[in-house]
Amino acid sequence: MRFLYGVILGIVLVFVAAYCYFRFGLAPVAVKAPPMPFEKTYANMALHAAIQKGAPRNAPFQPVEADFQTGARLYREHCAVCHALPDGVRTAVSGGEFPKPPLLLKGKGVTDDPPGETYWKIQNGIRMTGMPGFSDALSDRQMWDIAFLCAQADKLPASAQTILNQPYKPDTGM
Ligand code: HEC
């Protein structure tokens, strides 16, 4: 019986401690605050599991050059503000985010992820990170075009590279 009370008390204390952590402002809220204990581990675990379950394994079409060009234009419009262009220069928006949006067109980016995984992230976003979901804003085809662009960022046709290498000017419709 005593043992049982001990177990119940233990469980209650865990909940009280967790409540106090959030209630009394100990949990990080500001972007510059250090991450919560295990924040990254659990967030990554949840994301990974959701993608395993939900991301399409096969693309509905194979991209041709025009798809990369469309992807490049859409990327400039919707993604570059956070994920930057091939030069890797961050906007103020990008620099102020936590977690920092990875540079998708510089270095490895997500070229080692299957396009279906990137498609899932574009479609659904990643909660509490600043990564928006685009399913209401873009068509399926458009999201695939951007996913292919990101997946092949290290071997894009010259025509798509030319589009991406124009200077970033958000106020002029890019
Ligand atoms: C407002 C800022 C913002 C915009 C706009 C944005 N993202 Fe993100 N994105 C983020 C952040 C922040 C992360 C990091 C999330 C994390 O650490 O889990 C992220 C993560 C990602 C990832 C996962 C990267 C990895 O290493 O696994 C992909 C892929 C991605 N974004 C693609 C895109 C694409 C494509 C677009 C445009 C259609 C876009 N994002 C628009 C902020 C943004």
Side-chain angles (χ1 to χ4, degrees):
M1 206 56 191
R2 269 195 144 173
F3 175 73
L4 192 64
Y5 282 134
V7 170
I8 293 170
L9 185 67
I11 293 171
V12 169
L13 280 178
V14 168
F15 279 102
V16 170
Y19 176 81
C20 291
Y21 180 68
F22 288 99
R23 171 68 181 78
F24 297 110
L26 298 166
V29 181
V31 292
K32 292 209 168 172
M36 235 183 273
F38 308 114
E39 181 173 322
K40 214 175 162 66
T41 316
Y42 280 105
N44 283 346
M45 202 195 295
L47 181 63
H48 192 75
I51 286 170
Q52 278 292 333
K53 212 166 76 182
R57 307 228 181 273
N58 299 309
F61 63 93
Q62 286 307 311
V64 295
E65 186 161 349
D67 288 299
F68 292 109
Q69 293 170 6
T70 306
R73 282 191 205 98
L74 291 166
Y75 180 98
R76 291 185 67 90
E77 194 177 332
H78 298 290
C79 320
V81 60
C82 287
H83 292 288
L85 291 171
D87 62 15
V89 177
R90 287 186 188 275
T91 61
V93 170
S94 176
E97 290 241 351
F98 179 92
K100 282 258 180 307
L103 302 174
L104 298 182
L105 300 182
K106 194 173 183 198
K108 185 161 69 87
V110 286
T111 53
D112 52 353
D113 288 344
E117 180 170 333
T118 298
Y119 167 85
W120 188 96
K121 290 173 182 168
I122 298 169
Q123 186 185 34
N124 296 289
I126 306 174
R127 233 165 131 115
M128 297 206 276
T129 69
M131 169 64 195
F134 287 90
S135 58
D136 291 340
L138 298 174
S139 73
D140 228 38
R141 174 109 197 172
Q142 288 175 318
M143 292 190 283
W144 276 108
D145 280 349
I146 308 173
F148 285 128
L149 179 93
C150 296
Q152 305 208 22
D154 52 352
K155 41 182 182 293
L156 289 171
S159 58
Q161 287 180 30
T162 307
I163 296 169
L164 293 171
N165 286 326
Q166 306 295 315
Y168 184 71
K169 291 199 217 84
D171 51 342
T172 57
M174 293 180 282

